[in-house]
Amino acid sequence: MTDEPQVVTLEIAHSPFEAQVIVGVLQEANIPAYISGQVLTDEFAMSQALMNLAQVEIQVPRSKLGEARAVLAAARRSGEDMDEDFAS
């Protein structure tokens, strides 16, 4: 048995909304993705998340980390291309 975690943090989002978007992009590419601490167990944890004081970690299976990075990079490039199209 290995001591390495089965899921690893891919990225830390700036807000819960951004985290949901990233998870959606990854899941659309058939990559399991999770928001760390998504199930909040107490009022303090919930208030921290609602005020964006807690980090929002996006986690993926270790075996999918490289693929997840590539998918996110491609999605960001597509977003930049869209920005350029709308600026014209």
Side-chain angles (χ1 to χ4, degrees):
M1 216 167 159
T2 180
D3 290 337
E4 290 186 30
Q6 296 301 312
V7 292
V8 294
T9 299
L10 169 67
E11 188 162 312
I12 297 175
H14 295 100
S15 70
F17 176 75
E18 179 185 17
Q20 288 289 344
V21 171
I22 292 170
V23 166
V25 167
L26 294 170
Q27 289 177 344
E28 184 68 25
N30 294 317
I31 298 172
Y34 315 94
I35 296 174
S36 178
Q38 194 165 29
V39 178
L40 301 174
T41 58
D42 63 25
E43 291 84 12
F44 178 76
M46 184 177 294
S47 68
Q48 296 294 297
L50 290 173
M51 293 186 298
N52 290 333
L53 298 177
Q55 294 181 342
V56 186
E57 295 181 2
I58 295 97
Q59 297 183 320
V60 297
R62 178 176 293 285
S63 62
K64 297 282 189 174
L65 184 58
E67 184 180 352
R69 286 180 176 152
V71 165
L72 267 186
R76 288 186 170 125
R77 281 192 302 275
S78 292
E80 289 171 1
D81 291 344
M82 285 178 51
D83 288 344
E84 291 172 9
D85 291 343
F86 287 114
S88 300

